[in-house]
Amino acid sequence: MRDAHVKGPGFAELRPAKSPTDPRGFPVYPDLVDRLVEDKHQPDTEGVVPHVLATCSAYAYAGFQHQGDPETVSMIMARLGLEQNACRVLEQRVDALYIASAAYLVQDKDRRVVILAYRGTQPEDIISILTDADVRPEMLAVEIQGRRHEVHAGFYRNVRATRHLVVRALERSLRGESVNPDEHGTRGDGLEALYITGHSLGGAMAALMAVTLVHEPRYRHITEKLKGVYTFGQPMVGGPDLARACAQTPGPLSDRLLRYIFDRDVVPALPPRPVGPYTPFGREFHYRRQRGPADTALAFAADSAVEALTLPGHVLRAAANRDWEELTRRIGTLRRRPHGRGQGWTEVTEPQLHYPQMDTLAGLAVIAPLAFFATKLALTRTIPFKYSFDDHGPGHYVNALAPPGVLSEFGDVL
């Protein structure tokens, strides 16, 4: 277990030879703590919270040789508005068990807010990748609606690897103590707002941690401070029964677990259906790029061709298994049209239009890689493939969620 913590820089340290603050845009959000604490509907209408958490999730990938980098995360969060924050990273790695878990805790200097950010899949780390592939179901340790549910084993194992230390740090924050154990004493009245976030694998871990906190009675004192769970490019973590139970149980998960999907990001469609049924839960926000009529027509034709080729086999299999619900869903796929055609973010409120689980391995093995390489060439850049690895990049989420005219974390107007 690696436990590293730092104290974030002040504004003056980030602006040598300049005024510590600048009303034209530094820090990015001068009133960020108040915005995070404010008790209002999630997501906030001005888009500040999603942008801040997407940025935090993106920089959770910072590090060298598979080790986290709290200095960078702390610096970026100070640029956004959390001056002199306390930042702590908890990491556990067990290669043989496919554990590559990293959890960041960022706490403002007055100890009113804590952001828990989980690191996603590291592209260069085979163990991190194998975590995603460990799709065997494992039983969740807490009960929802009187029963336990199976979840993705790899995601759940990585959550549990650091959960005990995360909970202890959150309990310190409730008492007004620092999340960094070397800082002593209390400040203020304790934690007022907790946010949980992550991109990709980190988003899956954030969702499972939220489910655990909300449905474990012994964590209720922590859950009372939970303002929102924001995930970006999150894969699915469990089956239809888990999704149904989370949706039907009153509490924070019904309206404060928010999943963001950028255009044709392949990861929210995973794991693919051949490994078992997985279903998303929480509120879904989907971003669509603006496309011309030709691109729209090409995308519809390509999607319809894939569905038409795979539909007969799926219909026969569903009929043979007497799975009438699945049979109805399959037949309805040819009538369904992609949602969110206009540019920008749209909340998907109809369950049948949620980003669907990938039907075949072809999307993962063929379509998404082709889309990734196509984006690198001017001639093929606008081809609207059904899935894309390139759309999964955390930078897309940060840029697409930045409110109009806001400065980036480095002071550039987006």
Side-chain angles (χ1 to χ4, degrees):
M1 179 74 73
R2 177 174 179 260
D3 184 347
H5 43 85
V6 299
K7 183 177 181 179
F11 295 148
E13 297 175 70
L14 295 173
R15 291 173 59 83
K18 295 182 180 180
S19 171
T21 60
D22 184 341
R24 294 170 296 180
F26 188 87
V28 179
Y29 302 112
D31 58 346
L32 180 55
V33 173
D34 290 334
R35 286 176 176 270
L36 293 171
V37 168
E38 188 177 359
D39 190 12
K40 60 182 179 181
H41 183 71
Q42 300 291 343
D44 68 292
T45 56
E46 296 180 43
V48 172
V49 174
H51 179 229
V52 167
L53 296 181
T55 304
C56 186
S57 297
Y59 279 93
Y61 286 97
F64 304 92
Q65 298 179 340
H66 308 325
Q67 288 194 346
D69 180 6
E71 289 86 355
T72 294
V73 174
S74 181
M75 178 268 292
I76 291 298
M77 297 310 291
R79 287 183 176 277
L80 288 173
L82 300 184
E83 179 185 26
Q84 296 179 336
N85 61 76
C87 182
R88 183 180 182 186
V89 61
L90 303 165
E91 297 178 276
Q92 187 177 87
R93 187 178 180 91
V94 185
D95 289 359
L97 295 177
Y98 307 151
I99 294 176
S101 180
Y104 284 90
L105 292 141
V106 182
Q107 180 185 42
D108 74 294
K109 65 179 181 180
D110 294 323
R111 301 176 185 173
R112 301 173 65 195
V113 174
V114 170
I115 298 172
L116 169 60
Y118 286 98
R119 184 180 65 202
T121 304
Q122 296 169 285
E124 80 289 356
D125 184 1
I126 186 60
I127 299 303
S128 184
I129 294 171
L130 288 173
T131 292
D132 298 337
D134 188 7
V135 296
R136 295 174 296 104
E138 189 162 324
M139 194 65 70
L140 189 67
V142 297
E143 290 188 357
I144 307 175
Q145 291 189 335
R147 55 166 293 194
R148 297 169 66 185
H149 299 267
E150 291 182 336
V151 294
H152 186 292
F155 300 159
Y156 190 36
R157 187 179 300 113
N158 274 261
V159 170
R160 287 182 293 176
T162 53
R163 186 178 67 192
H164 63 295
L165 287 177
V166 168
V167 170
R168 284 167 57 184
L170 292 177
E171 289 187 320
R172 288 176 58 89
S173 72
L174 286 170
R175 298 190 295 266
E177 300 176 26
S178 172
V179 295
N180 294 343
D182 290 346
E183 293 186 33
H184 303 289
T186 62
R187 189 177 301 164
D189 296 324
L191 180 66
E192 297 177 45
L194 168 65
Y195 291 86
I196 308 177
T197 190
H199 171 268
S200 190
L201 162 65
M205 294 172 66
L208 283 174
M209 183 61 168
V211 170
T212 302
L213 290 177
V214 168
H215 293 285
E216 170 56 74
R218 289 171 293 184
Y219 296 152
R220 187 167 294 128
H221 59 303
I222 298 175
T223 307
E224 290 173 353
K225 308 299 181 181
L226 182 62
K227 294 288 186 179
V229 183
Y230 287 71
T231 71
F232 309 95
Q234 174 211 316
M236 291 172 275
V237 301
D241 289 343
L242 173 67
R244 194 176 302 112
C246 289
Q248 294 175 352
T249 302
L253 296 184
S254 61
D255 64 343
R256 281 178 272 170
L257 194 156
L258 314 174
R259 296 180 297 108
Y260 288 83
I261 301 173
F262 182 81
D263 207 29
R264 300 198 164 214
D265 185 349
V266 65
V267 172
L270 301 177
R273 190 169 296 278
V275 307
Y278 279 76
T279 304
F281 59 90
R283 295 168 62 189
E284 179 178 307
F285 294 81
H286 197 172
Y287 183 91
R288 287 289 189 184
R289 290 189 180 98
Q290 186 66 48
R291 291 188 170 93
D295 286 340
T296 300
L298 182 60
F300 175 71
D303 291 352
S304 297
V306 171
E307 290 170 351
L309 287 172
T310 58
L311 184 64
H314 292 309
V315 168
L316 290 174
R317 184 163 56 250
N321 295 331
R322 297 186 177 183
D323 189 344
W324 310 125
E325 182 179 347
E326 174 68 5
L327 183 62
T328 302
R329 190 190 73 81
R330 290 292 178 182
I331 294 174
T333 57
L334 288 180
R335 301 196 309 268
R336 190 178 303 164
R337 297 293 183 265
H339 57 275
R341 286 185 179 278
Q343 184 174 7
W345 292 101
T346 302
E347 182 170 6
V348 182
T349 56
E350 299 180 46
Q352 69 271 19
L353 293 181
H354 282 172
Y355 209 62
Q357 185 179 13
M358 185 182 292
D359 285 328
T360 69
L361 293 174
L364 183 62
V366 179
I367 298 174
L370 280 176
F372 176 81
F373 289 110
T375 60
K376 309 307 174 187
L377 302 175
L379 186 63
T380 56
R381 189 165 294 150
T382 61
I383 295 178
F385 288 90
K386 184 168 185 176
Y387 300 111
S388 171
F389 278 126
D390 184 72
D391 284 356
H392 186 57
H396 289 307
Y397 288 89
V398 174
N399 293 335
L401 284 164
V406 80
L407 298 181
S408 75
E409 67 275 20
F410 289 106
D412 303 316
V413 177
L414 296 176

